[in-house]
Amino acid sequence: MDMDWKGKTVLLGVSGGIAAYKAVEIASRMRKAGAEVHVILTRAAQEFVTELTFREISGNPVNTGMWEKVTHWNVEHIALARMADLVLVAPATANLIAKLAVGMADDMLTTTILATHAPIFLAPAMNSNMFRNPVTQKNIKDLQDRGMEIIPPSSGHLACGADGVGRLPEPVEILSRVEGYFCKAGALQGKKILVTAGGTIAPIDPVRFIGNRSSGKMGYAVAEAAAKRGADAVLVSGVSALPDPVGVRTIRVETTEEMLRAVLEEFPDSDAVIKAAAVADYRVKQVAGQKIKKSEGDWSIELVRNPDILHTLGQQKTHQVLVGFAAETQNLMEYAKRKLEKKNLDFIVANDVTAPGAGFQGETNIARMIFRDGKVEEYPLMQKTELAAAILDHVERLLGAGME
Ligand code: CTP
């Protein structure tokens, strides 16, 4: 991937782990590529690598503490936070991650990160038990939810003698992740991308409802990725425990009819719609105003059909790229193709929800994309965030084709 580092000011934070030596190569590569590199070393990092090395490699004074004699008035922490086009922390230790997760600012690096508006990339590296510890995982998740980019550690032999996950990836790998981000940034500028996610529910009475197993993860990942590419991203979300994605205008609904209403309002000026929601096809005919009390014998509920939101959009579409999902347990290709035709879609993302690693609750999915011209693309097991990127690549391509 080719990214122009020229004119970019990068803040490289190094915290105290054995992998800190790899940060030297990261700084060197970024500078050679034309970036202006400023390094901040934490107290512990200075036990592993020296200020002198980074000063020579970056060509700039290195920041090590908050209280040393000021030699460059314009390089105090707020100035660094302001001038950075991106912040990369490699390695990011468990301790640093924990401090960032709670918003602590007790040294130069944490203070700068708290003050910056620049995109922040963290490359965690630590012993695998520390990495897997639920508290570290939760901290990472919290930071991700707040919009930080996590560059996942790789597996292999760790300095502590054990094998496992926790190694800092190679510098070229880390840099290519950062480059990928900047190549995509702005690719959907000026486009309105409407996404639906989560499950809609059918209320029975004030305390009960019929729902489904959708977690919302797939659609939330698409909406967040669209926002990162510069789109005006709007998410109409059914029931989901996930927090509003960063940078996305999120509208929460519960029933299919509410989702239809919200989607129709946003549809006319949208450029693309990605319908990842698991929509309840039926609703309860008579929703009780009061809690239904149990009685002897069985109970049956009469259900009536809900409108098909995507089908409605397919009929109303003027210029919009329409993407649907098909979650099936059998005859995947046949059912998915039928939905593509019937709902007038540009492509459909089909997945067999019975396959291990695919489906509603997990972080991963296995998908095929089926296009109008009959082309089929198969994807291996991948993170939902990666699949979101693949979906948006196709949306971008189709939007581009429409402009010619
Ligand atoms: N969908 C929708 N409105 C509905 C039902 C589904 O917009 N009432 C959308 C979903 O968001 C998804 C696609 O249609 O993008 C396919 O959903 P799915 O439930 O798999 O298919 P259905 O059309 O409901 O067909 P079936 O129940 O026969 O599988």
Side-chain angles (χ1 to χ4, degrees), residues 188-195 226 230-234 249 262-263 265-274 319-321 395 399:
L188 284 171
Q189 199 81 45
K191 302 287 179 197
K192 178 173 170 184
I193 308 289
L194 176 60
V195 183
D232 169 16
V234 180
R249 179 155 62 86
V263 165
E265 200 157 302
E266 300 291 338
F267 185 59
D269 63 342
S270 289
D271 294 288
V273 183
I274 297 128
H319 62 287
Q320 296 87 348
V321 169
V395 168
L399 286 174

Side-chain angles (χ1 to χ4, degrees), residues 5 37 63 68 100 119 136 144 237 248 275 277 291 355 373 387:
W5 288 85
V37 182
N63 302 275
E68 76 262 26
L100 294 178
T136 305
Q144 234 166 354
S237 174
V248 176
K275 273 217 94 272
K291 185 183 166 193
D373 58 6
L387 184 57

Side-chain angles (χ1 to χ4, degrees), residues 255-267:
T255 66
T256 301
E257 286 159 307
E258 286 166 10
M259 182 170 276
L260 176 67
R261 229 174 292 133
V263 165
L264 285 181
E265 200 157 302
E266 300 291 338
F267 185 59

Side-chain angles (χ1 to χ4, degrees), residues 256 275-277 279-281 307-310 324-328 339 343:
T256 301
K275 273 217 94 272
V279 183
D281 287 318
D308 187 317
I309 303 172
L310 196 48
F325 278 73
E328 308 289 351
K339 284 175 192 174
K343 302 191 187 193

